[in-house]
């Protein structure tokens, strides 16, 4: 994410000079870089968003992840050799949505996190576009990108990269002026897709995504290492019964 227009506004993001350095650093090590330009863009911001995308393009970014359809359409038309990925913030959760983006010229769709494996498989089999799914990290209580809770409570919009995470706070459930439940009632369990890697690969998913831009380097390194190990295992085996997760790895991940 750069300092503007990304869904993690409070992260330690890259300004233009450090964005250039980061892309160059990754290219030397054969690592791809994607720019998250993945919030809704206001009319007055549109030109600034284009300038940022143009800079990233000139620096050699491998793709840009976009939520705003107008911005995506402009980038696809004016930068035809720059892959545009549909952010999970677009809440694409069915085949028709994927086909529409395929026809618009998107290179990849990051599916909504709520989809079960059989629906992911159905989408993969009936499209030619790249499909990416989340496999680890936080989940949204709402469809990703469609929640107004933080915006209504405190003017911090999730669609503008400023979600305060009010669903993570404790609440009381009141019925007839009496509290009948209390605790983290809106807080979802986090996603851990380690056990489902063979099914996701067999479904035809092209890329697996780990949520973690606000996490520590140690967290990112550990989670990535363990998933890499079991993705490689899943691709080697011919019998799904041979896909076994070592208890030490499970504990480390937890």
């Amino acid at each position: 994410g750069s300092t503007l227009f990304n869904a993690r506004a409070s992260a330690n993001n890259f300004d233009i000079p450090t964005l250039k350095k980061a892309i160059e650093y990754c290219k030397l090590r054969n690592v791809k870089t994607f720019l998250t330009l993945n919030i809704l863009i206001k009319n007055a911001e549109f030109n600034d968003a284009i300038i940022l995308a143009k800079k990233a393009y000139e620096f050699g970014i491998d793709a840009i992840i976009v939520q705003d359809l107008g911005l995506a359409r402009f980038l696809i038309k004016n930068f035809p050799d720059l892959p545009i990925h549909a952010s999970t913030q677009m809440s694409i959760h069915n085949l028709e949505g994927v086909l529409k983006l395929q026809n618009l010229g998107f290179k990849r769709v990051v599916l909504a996190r709520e989809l079960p494996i059989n629906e992911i498989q159905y989408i993969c089999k009936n499209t030619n576009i790249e499909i990416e799914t989340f496999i680890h990290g936080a989940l949204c209580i709402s469809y990703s990108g469609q929640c107004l809770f933080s915006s209504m409570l405190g003017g911090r919009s999730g669609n503008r990269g400023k979600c305060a995470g009010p669903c993570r706070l404790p609440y009381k459930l009141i019925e007839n002026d009496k509290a009948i439940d209390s605790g983290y009632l809106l807080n979802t369990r986090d996603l851990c897709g380690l056990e489902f890697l063979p099914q996701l690969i067999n479904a035809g998913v092209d890329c697996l995504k780990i949520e973690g831009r606000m996490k520590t380097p140690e967290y990112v390194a550990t989670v990535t290492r363990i998933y890499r190990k079991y993705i490689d295992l899943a691709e080697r085996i011919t019998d799904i019964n041979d896909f076994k997760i070592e208890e030490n790895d499970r504990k480390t991940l937890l």
Side-chain angles (χ1 to χ4, degrees), residues 179-190:
I180 61 172
D181 199 0
S182 64
Y184 296 92
L185 304 180
L186 295 175
N187 191 1
T188 59
R189 293 184 179 183
D190 286 353

Side-chain angles (χ1 to χ4, degrees), residues 97-111:
V98 175
L99 290 174
K100 182 64 177 177
L101 295 186
Q102 180 177 302
N103 292 337
L104 286 172
F106 281 78
K107 175 75 171 176
R108 177 182 297 181
V109 175
V110 185
L111 294 176

Side-chain angles (χ1 to χ4, degrees), residues 149-203:
F149 195 6
S150 177
S151 180
M152 292 178 72
L153 279 185
R156 292 179 56 179
S157 171
N159 281 301
R160 297 285 294 165
K162 298 177 180 179
C163 180
C167 60
R168 300 281 180 175
L169 299 174
Y171 291 95
K172 289 181 180 178
L173 180 61
I174 308 295
E175 183 178 341
N176 298 327
D177 296 325
K178 183 181 178 182
I180 61 172
D181 199 0
S182 64
Y184 296 92
L185 304 180
L186 295 175
N187 191 1
T188 59
R189 293 184 179 183
D190 286 353
L191 175 67
C192 180
L194 193 65
E195 295 180 10
F196 301 97
L197 291 177
Q199 292 95 317
L200 286 167
I201 292 169
N202 291 336

Side-chain angles (χ1 to χ4, degrees), residues 88-142:
T88 191
Q89 300 282 115
M90 293 181 89
S91 298
I92 302 299
H93 51 265
N94 56 38
L95 176 62
E96 286 71 17
V98 175
L99 290 174
K100 182 64 177 177
L101 295 186
Q102 180 177 302
N103 292 337
L104 286 172
F106 281 78
K107 175 75 171 176
R108 177 182 297 181
V109 175
V110 185
L111 294 176
R113 304 178 202 196
E114 297 78 20
L115 290 181
I117 287 178
N118 64 318
E119 294 191 20
I120 294 171
Q121 183 178 33
Y122 178 73
I123 289 170
C124 289
K125 283 187 174 180
N126 290 283
T127 53
N128 298 318
I129 196 170
E130 292 178 3
I131 299 296
E132 182 171 334
T133 61
F134 275 87
I135 53 171
H136 196 87
L139 290 172
C140 184
I141 187 66
S142 179

Side-chain angles (χ1 to χ4, degrees), residues 10 21 91 97 105 147 192:
S10 58
K21 287 181 181 179
S91 298
C147 184
C192 180

Side-chain angles (χ1 to χ4, degrees), residues 189-231:
R189 293 184 179 183
D190 286 353
L191 175 67
C192 180
L194 193 65
E195 295 180 10
F196 301 97
L197 291 177
Q199 292 95 317
L200 286 167
I201 292 169
N202 291 336
V205 171
D206 295 285
C207 186
L208 303 170
K209 195 181 196 84
I210 295 169
E211 183 263 350
R213 198 145 32 112
M214 298 285 284
K215 302 292 194 297
T216 63
E218 293 81 8
Y219 171 91
V220 174
T222 299
V223 176
T224 304
R225 174 179 60 80
I226 291 174
Y227 272 93
R228 177 77 268 166
K229 175 180 176 179
Y230 288 99
I231 290 168

